[in-house]
Amino acid sequence: MKDDSIIRHEAFWTEGEDRDSRWLITCDHATNRVPDWVGGGDLGIAAADMARHIAYDVGAAGVARHLGRVMGAPVVGSDFSRLVIDPNRGEDDPTLLMRLYDGTVIPANKDADAAEKKRRLDGLYRPYHNALERISSAHSSRAICAIHSFTPQLRGRPPRPWAVGVLYSQKDERLAPLLIERCRAAGWETGDNEPYSGHLDGDSVDRHALAHHRPNVLIEVRNDLIADETGQAEWAERLAGVLDGLLEAAGV
């Protein structure tokens, strides 16, 4: 019998590590938790801001976990806010510790020095990526599906019309165009490398998929669609439907 238990570490959690699917479901921005050793557990911004997309990907963890169960795939997620340190950035990226995000100043990051950056890298960022790589390499033909969510509208910007976005790098287009076709055939308004560009040097997909030639997709779901458990479960089922057979159809 497969073990679906959750394993927890301060920096990450995993679920169903021994599930036998080729797919690994990842969630880089799973939570808005701030460890108590960072600013006493407080970044100095309002609770309402900590509940926004700037602190984590709202609903993404629930989608990732449901999707993993439906597809029989292991899941790994971060257990710290992206505002503490962003695991979906390279270690040298200037936005690794955000000082200003969507109109909100992050006081705990404003004066963070190199020593503080290293403390967060060693305590959170690197353990998360070590876990992600460990599970990635546990299957000889691993494929990675990264789950994120996006806000319907940034402050002062136009509304975003997409229900989902499929992001990818031009370095590896084996899966994404076919997945976009499937999403649109399902009737969803689907962004092609929208609402963001799909490649950033040193990000999670670059580090754990592109660098190892692992097939990959990154799916963004608009967060108002997955704000509660019902929506998360519904979208996980829908995504499982378009991911089913994708690897075989793409010949990878």
Side-chain angles (χ1 to χ4, degrees):
M1 180 180 295
K2 289 183 292 186
D3 181 6
D4 289 342
S5 62
I6 297 177
I7 297 170
R8 294 194 181 277
H9 178 279
E10 183 177 28
F12 64 86
W13 51 266
T14 69
E15 182 171 332
E17 285 197 30
D18 70 340
R19 294 172 186 164
D20 55 11
S21 173
R22 283 184 64 188
W23 287 106
L24 168 62
I25 312 301
T26 69
C27 190
D28 292 325
H29 301 143
T31 179
N32 60 358
R33 189 181 76 87
V34 180
D36 58 12
W37 52 269
V38 177
D42 188 343
L43 296 176
I45 67 176
D49 278 327
M50 287 302 298
R52 293 204 300 133
H53 71 99
I54 66 171
Y56 74 123
D57 281 356
V58 177
V63 173
R65 292 181 64 189
H66 281 291
L67 184 60
R69 292 167 192 161
V70 172
M71 297 184 67
V75 187
V76 58
S78 67
D79 201 13
F80 53 93
S81 172
R82 67 191 298 170
L83 294 181
V84 175
I85 190 165
D86 194 333
N88 197 32
R89 297 291 185 271
E91 292 196 13
D92 296 327
D93 193 297
T95 64
L96 188 67
L97 270 62
M98 290 291 284
R99 290 164 169 79
L100 174 69
Y101 194 177
D102 195 20
T104 297
V105 174
I106 318 302
N109 293 349
K110 189 166 68 73
D111 298 317
D113 59 13
E116 178 61 17
K117 175 181 173 181
K118 183 178 186 302
R119 195 166 71 113
R120 298 186 198 182
L121 282 167
D122 290 344
L124 299 168
Y125 178 104
R126 288 168 179 153
Y128 169 68
H129 281 290
N130 289 342
L132 204 165
E133 184 54 37
R134 174 176 57 79
I135 303 171
S136 294
S137 61
H139 196 298
S140 60
S141 56
R142 180 68 80 200
I144 293 176
C145 175
I147 298 295
H148 291 255
S149 72
F150 64 95
T151 186
Q153 185 174 13
L154 291 171
R155 289 176 174 174
R157 303 286 185 87
R160 292 163 160 175
W162 310 282
V164 298
V166 177
L167 310 190
Y168 56 98
S169 170
Q170 282 68 32
K171 294 180 179 180
D172 186 355
E173 299 185 3
R174 290 175 290 173
L175 297 184
L178 180 55
L179 179 60
I180 290 168
E181 287 180 17
R182 289 182 168 204
C183 291
R184 290 175 175 169
W188 314 334
E189 189 153 1
T190 303
D192 182 339
N193 265 337
E194 296 284 1
Y196 314 108
S197 172
H199 179 73
L200 187 64
D201 287 341
D203 68 9
S204 285
V205 168
D206 185 45
R207 180 170 179 165
H208 299 286
L210 299 179
H212 302 276
H213 202 58
R214 293 173 180 137
N216 62 90
V217 292
L218 190 156
I219 300 173
E220 294 263 3
V221 184
R222 203 176 70 223
N223 67 24
D224 60 317
L225 302 175
I226 54 172
D228 59 27
E229 188 171 352
T230 298
Q232 293 158 20
E234 288 176 354
W235 274 97
E237 294 278 356
R238 292 169 182 168
L239 293 176
V242 295
L243 289 168
D244 183 42
L246 180 69
L247 297 170
E248 293 78 6
V252 297

